[in-house]
Amino acid sequence: MEEVERALTRMLPRLRRFAHGLARNAADADDLTQAAAERILKARAQWQPGTSFDAWAYRILRNLWIDTARSRQRQDARLAPAEDGLTVGMDGGAEAQVELTYLMRAMARLPDEQREAVALVMIEGLAYAEAAAVLEVPVGTLTSRLVRGRQALMAMLED
């Protein structure tokens, strides 16, 4: 067995305890531990012999937890409260229809790049990194397209 695999096998119980401390939930801790083990094995060439394997593995697990927590915050922010579901299917009235029509017209006037960014992030709820991957552009490029698209939409809707 390779050195990284031996070290990981030896360290799994401690990684699991650390994951449980972060996640405070056994199922989430198990998922986090598994994801960290997978990432460690995939990135085994990045570990430098002579450096602390434990610190490297803990850092990988912690970074995964941070990514998970951020993803959950974004997801929670996108989800509407349960009571909002009581009005689903009800007619929003003429005013809501007019607003939607204006918004769709404004979206149609945006350049393709801005419209794609706005649609993926603001409508579909994708994270910036996910949207950038879909569009095959750097995150900074996506961000600038999104900012310009939002500004253009606001300007069009104010008129």
Side-chain angles (χ1 to χ4, degrees):
M1 193 179 336
E2 187 181 318
E3 185 178 356
V4 169
E5 292 170 353
R6 278 193 303 271
L8 177 59
T9 301
R10 174 183 46 78
M11 190 170 177
L12 271 176
R14 291 184 294 149
L15 281 174
R16 168 67 173 66
R17 278 193 306 271
F18 183 51
H20 196 280
L22 294 173
R24 293 181 227 113
N25 173 302
D28 288 345
D30 288 341
D31 291 344
L32 185 58
T33 303
Q34 180 178 347
E38 290 172 5
R39 182 151 311 166
I40 288 166
L41 291 173
K42 284 180 185 175
R44 67 177 60 145
Q46 295 176 8
W47 178 64
Q48 300 296 318
T51 62
S52 173
F53 177 85
D54 293 3
W56 183 66
Y58 281 133
R59 190 168 42 256
I60 288 172
L61 188 135
R62 181 179 175 272
N63 288 342
L64 281 169
W65 172 248
I66 290 169
D67 292 345
T68 301
R70 286 179 181 158
S71 174
R72 285 183 181 166
Q73 285 176 341
R74 283 190 303 271
Q75 183 179 7
D76 291 347
R78 285 190 309 241
L79 297 177
E83 56 271 6
D84 286 358
L86 299 175
T87 60
V88 170
M90 298 178 122
D91 184 11
E95 185 176 322
Q97 187 62 40
V98 169
E99 288 178 16
L100 181 59
T101 302
Y102 287 143
L103 178 61
M104 295 309 292
R105 283 184 189 155
M107 282 283 290
R109 291 173 38 203
L110 290 176
D112 290 344
E113 297 86 12
Q114 293 175 13
R115 188 173 56 252
E116 290 171 343
V118 169
L120 288 173
V121 175
M122 295 178 67
I123 296 173
E124 294 303 318
L126 268 63
Y128 283 27
E130 294 169 318
V134 168
L135 298 175
E136 297 178 326
V137 297
V139 174
T141 301
L142 173 87
T143 303
S144 64
R145 289 177 181 176
L146 186 59
V147 168
R148 288 193 312 271
R150 284 178 178 161
Q151 289 172 343
L153 276 176
M154 294 302 291
M156 284 184 248
L157 293 174
E158 287 176 359
D159 291 341

